[in-house]
Amino acid sequence: MESKTIYFERLGGPTYIGRPNGEHAREVLKLDSLDENKNMRFVVDIPETTYNINSSYFLGLFGDSVRAAGSIEKFRERFTFRTHGKDYRVIDRGIERALVRDKGLGIQS
Amino acid sequence: MKKQTYNNQYLLQVRAEKALKQSLKDRSGSTKRPPYKRLPLDYLNKVKPNSTINETTEIVSLVVPKIFCLITNPEATLEFLASAANLVNFLNLKQLVLDHSEVEKHDLGAEVLLGFAIKEVEVAANYRNREIKISGKYPESDRKMRLINALGVVQKLEVEHRKSEDDKLEIFDFRGRKQVHLALGAEDDKNRGAKRFVDYLNRCLAYTKTELTQSGREDFLDYTGEIIDNAERHSDESKWYICGYLDDTDDGDSQQITDAKGANAAQQSESSDTAIEETEPQFCEIVIYNFGRSIADTFLELSDDSFAKSLVSPYIDHHTKKKLFTKTWRERDLLTLIALQSYISCQTKDADDDCGQGTVDLIEFFHRVSEETTDFESTHINMTIISGFTALYFDGKYRLTKNEKGREIIAFNDENDLNEKPDSNYVKSLTKAKFPGTLIAIRFPLSAKYIKPVEDESDNTPS
């Protein structure tokens, strides 16, 4: 089992905002190719000094990984978030949103 | 008859006379368009104002409307702003008087944009080597005057004004620019602006020895960050603007109390008036705006075979088939409304794309604050999103509700059904004026649940 730690403080901070920033971080971390290795496990270290991670940043960075995992449980199995005691609601919210498929609202005539 | 020949001396004289005439013409500034007009002003005065003022006049007096609010009176306010911006075409203008004396209600967005427009008119005139004498009349209320001084036309023109030591104002004025080259780890304007804005809010709360809770801070940042993200992604312009204003000054002629009484005059008793005076929460105003394409424009420009277009087309087709569109409910209004819904964005590329989150976050935050605010009806939150010719108004009456597919929907009708027309009081189709871009304006009380007492009373420094 391989493991990689993603240190958020190396990605910027203390605020993490913007989908392009999240996507750029994903590109630099080469998460697309790392995701293909099903034996890879990730630890995401979020420093205590973090002010906020917003939804778009999270989705830009992890959205494709969530969908590659296919479920909340499988994603959580692969990605462990080390938050130093803080509760980041954006994590659960982001995972949930990334998994919602079938875009569109459905129109009833 | 001897043929007239032109010798060199005569030709030189003719040429000199022509050159002199041209030079005099250039100096008098009688060109049809002023040579200087910055892009934002050009956006503002693209809307043809319904003005009867002759553009050759030298003296103009603009009377600011009584309800000068983008949130509650968008069309008339935007129309007035277009008139102000159009002054850039008054090439003979020497004197301008801005008369706020009749203003009964105003908001941050209206005053900020007015200041913006007048400043640009002044700069354009200076560029033509002309000077415009600008003066004005304040409204009666000190509270209104403070806003104009802090972030309105007085501030933009850098006019010296009376300040009181008792004034308790917290002002935020940030201009950001889209990051072209993303450097990992570097702080861009988006992050800097959002963080500073939260710090600003904590400074506001320090007046009452309170601060944002962690969740409050997270939510404010999330909300602000998402809006800025949207502004950068959907705007032609690389710039966005965010303003904040909190007036915690204690004076007897509070606009909040005036508004409260005005909003509920028929229902309030004397005891509730006293209760409002004693416990009126702080109101914070936020305005975030960018110039460029409107929300509807970005969808209209999509190719018919784009995935994003396929998401909205069924709605357009349905409303067309049912003949629901009218002069007050148009296709672009529907597009703007649809864009608010979750997972709908002009950037959505395929079914896996989770774009379309920002506005949902904004609405969710707004509703959370609305739910947790005080019981006073007068402290309801007002919010508007104005994009192009469509203005959406929020006051908590219509809610974002999840459907069976887990999508948040807000349709602005009792059925919460996007198949039906929305309430025209909440989804307004503007005809006389528009906002050339997207503007979000919010006025809300800071909720008790987001606020906690600072633990050490001797330390008022926000964390």
Side-chain angles (χ1 to χ4, degrees):
Chain A
M1 195 75 67
E2 294 172 66
S3 177
K4 180 178 173 65
T5 302
I6 298 170
Y7 293 98
F8 253 58
E9 62 188 342
R10 293 181 192 168
L11 304 179
T15 58
Y16 302 88
I17 294 171
R19 182 180 292 272
N21 291 338
E23 288 171 347
H24 181 61
R26 182 176 180 81
E27 200 180 303
V28 169
L29 292 168
K30 298 185 172 57
L31 275 183
D32 280 344
S33 54
L34 290 173
D35 261 342
E36 288 171 9
N37 181 354
K38 298 302 173 196
N39 291 322
M40 179 68 79
R41 294 292 178 265
F42 300 89
V43 174
V44 182
D45 186 281
I46 303 174
E48 286 178 77
T49 51
T50 298
Y51 247 46
N52 171 261
I53 305 165
N54 90 338
S55 309
S56 284
Y57 185 94
F58 183 92
L59 288 166
L61 177 54
F62 293 118
D64 284 345
S65 297
V66 174
R67 282 182 285 274
S71 69
I72 298 174
E73 295 76 25
K74 287 190 177 156
F75 176 75
R76 285 285 198 178
E77 221 177 270
R78 297 196 71 198
F79 287 80
T80 303
F81 288 84
R82 196 159 61 200
T83 62
H84 302 280
K86 277 183 166 181
D87 176 29
Y88 294 97
R89 289 176 291 161
V90 66
I91 298 173
D92 285 333
R93 215 159 52 192
I95 297 169
E96 194 182 303
R97 282 181 174 162
L99 287 172
V100 174
R101 294 179 62 90
D102 186 22
K103 298 298 178 284
L105 299 161
I107 192 160
Q108 298 165 5
S109 55
Chain B
M1 189 171 155
K2 193 177 180 182
K3 189 177 177 183
Q4 182 75 35
T5 54
Y6 297 105
N7 57 27
N8 284 341
Q9 191 175 4
Y10 173 74
L11 288 172
L12 277 171
Q13 186 182 348
V14 166
R15 284 174 195 152
E17 283 172 359
K18 274 189 180 174
L20 180 63
K21 274 185 190 171
Q22 186 62 42
S23 161
L24 286 171
K25 191 180 171 187
D26 290 344
R27 249 184 268 158
S28 71
S30 62
T31 51
K32 286 184 180 176
R33 286 280 176 211
Y36 174 90
K37 201 159 63 171
R38 284 201 284 200
L39 204 56
L41 187 66
D42 198 33
Y43 277 122
L44 273 173
N45 75 1
K46 261 185 183 173
V47 183
K48 296 292 177 204
N50 187 20
S51 171
T52 55
I53 306 175
N54 190 336
E55 289 188 3
T56 61
T57 191
E58 293 184 349
I59 302 173
V60 171
S61 177
L62 287 181
V63 180
V64 182
K66 287 184 181 177
I67 310 296
F68 189 47
C69 287
L70 284 172
I71 295 176
T72 56
N73 191 23
E75 189 148 34
T77 302
L78 286 170
E79 203 177 7
F80 178 79
L81 289 169
S83 297
N86 192 51
L87 292 174
V88 78
N89 295 319
F90 286 45
L91 302 181
N92 298 328
L93 187 64
K94 288 182 180 171
Q95 188 177 343
L96 169 62
V97 178
L98 275 175
D99 186 354
H100 274 88
S101 61
E102 294 183 19
V103 170
E104 291 174 1
K105 193 173 176 183
H106 68 169
D107 63 19
L108 175 64
E111 294 295 353
V112 163
L113 289 180
L114 178 61
F116 193 103
I118 299 301
K119 177 64 181 178
E120 292 293 300
V121 169
E122 183 191 61
V123 171
N126 288 343
Y127 194 78
R128 299 193 309 271
N129 294 321
R130 292 184 83 87
E131 196 176 315
I132 301 176
K133 184 184 169 189
I134 302 176
S135 59
K137 296 179 191 173
Y138 280 119
E140 277 189 29
S141 154
D142 287 345
R143 187 169 288 272
K144 292 187 180 70
M145 180 186 71
R146 286 195 294 271
L147 173 54
I148 295 166
N149 287 341
L151 281 168
V153 63
V154 171
Q155 184 259 346
K156 288 289 185 291
L157 295 177
E158 296 171 44
V159 176
E160 282 195 24
H161 55 273
R162 180 171 60 87
K163 289 176 193 171
S164 167
E165 286 179 358
D166 295 330
D167 287 352
K168 289 182 182 175
L169 304 179
E170 284 298 337
I171 296 158
F172 187 79
D173 193 8
F174 192 94
R175 178 179 299 195
R177 185 184 279 273
K178 183 177 179 176
Q179 191 86 14
V180 176
H181 302 290
L182 289 168
L184 196 69
E187 191 181 45
D188 60 4
D189 279 351
K190 198 176 339 191
N191 281 276
R192 195 177 304 117
K195 182 177 175 298
R196 286 184 188 178
F197 186 61
V198 169
D199 291 345
Y200 151 76
L201 283 172
N202 269 330
R203 287 202 307 276
C204 299
L205 292 170
Y207 284 108
T208 54
K209 296 182 172 42
T210 54
E211 63 182 5
L212 289 170
T213 59
Q214 185 193 329
S215 63
R217 192 174 66 196
E218 278 183 30
D219 285 346
F220 268 118
L221 271 168
D222 211 13
Y223 146 82
T224 305
E226 294 295 340
I227 294 170
I228 295 170
D229 210 17
N230 283 336
E232 287 190 353
R233 290 170 69 188
H234 300 303
S235 165
D236 291 336
E237 285 272 290
S238 60
K239 291 181 192 167
W240 45 267
Y241 308 82
I242 175 169
C243 301
Y245 183 75
L246 180 71
D247 187 347
D248 198 45
T249 307
D250 183 17
D251 52 31
D253 182 21
S254 162
Q255 181 180 337
Q256 295 167 8
I257 297 169
T258 306
D259 286 349
K261 289 179 182 174
N264 298 294
Q267 294 169 12
Q268 284 180 359
S269 64
E270 286 182 7
S271 59
S272 66
D273 283 351
T274 307
I276 291 169
E277 278 187 43
E278 289 174 351
T279 62
E280 189 72 25
Q282 306 102 319
F283 272 90
C284 186
E285 290 202 60
I286 295 169
V287 176
I288 303 178
Y289 61 101
N290 64 271
F291 295 108
R293 292 169 299 161
S294 67
I295 294 171
D297 287 338
T298 56
F299 274 99
L300 287 168
E301 288 166 7
L302 294 172
S303 60
D304 289 340
D305 59 355
S306 71
F307 184 77
K309 200 71 174 278
S310 71
L311 295 178
V312 301
S313 292
Y315 294 94
I316 306 295
D317 293 343
H318 177 82
H319 281 251
T320 305
K321 192 176 161 186
K322 295 284 181 186
K323 295 182 183 173
L324 297 178
F325 289 127
T326 62
K327 285 181 186 176
T328 57
W329 173 239
R330 301 165 301 183
E331 183 179 327
R332 51 174 57 249
D333 303 319
L334 178 58
L335 285 170
T336 308
L337 176 60
I338 295 289
L340 280 187
Q341 316 306 325
S342 59
Y343 310 104
I344 302 289
S345 166
C346 67
Q347 305 272 335
T348 307
K349 297 183 191 65
D350 54 45
D352 278 337
D353 197 333
D354 48 47
C355 283
Q357 308 297 324
T359 316
V360 171
D361 287 331
L362 163 68
I363 296 172
E364 282 184 348
F365 176 81
F366 170 77
H367 284 312
R368 280 201 298 278
V369 172
S370 178
E371 281 170 346
E372 294 160 12
T373 193
T374 64
D375 290 333
F376 297 129
E377 289 183 23
S378 60
T379 61
H380 59 266
I381 297 163
N382 302 117
M383 172 175 142
T384 188
I385 299 174
I386 305 175
S387 190
F389 286 100
T390 307
L392 300 146
Y393 176 65
F394 301 80
D395 65 359
K397 178 178 177 182
Y398 295 107
R399 302 297 304 272
L400 200 62
T401 310
K402 274 192 182 180
N403 68 1
E404 64 279 1
K405 290 188 180 179
R407 314 283 199 279
E408 287 96 354
I409 291 177
I410 180 165
F412 292 94
N413 51 44
D414 292 334
E415 302 82 9
N416 201 32
D417 185 354
L418 289 167
N419 295 329
E420 302 296 331
K421 280 169 67 171
D423 185 339
S424 58
N425 290 319
Y426 287 80
V427 180
K428 297 174 189 174
S429 195
L430 308 177
T431 51
K432 295 177 189 170
K434 71 172 189 178
F435 184 77
T438 300
L439 178 139
I440 298 165
I442 300 179
R443 185 171 181 271
F444 63 93
L446 290 171
S447 160
K449 278 203 179 176
Y450 284 119
I451 299 168
K452 65 175 184 182
V454 172
E455 285 177 10
D456 181 3
E457 286 193 359
S458 64
D459 178 14
N460 289 337
T461 308
S463 62

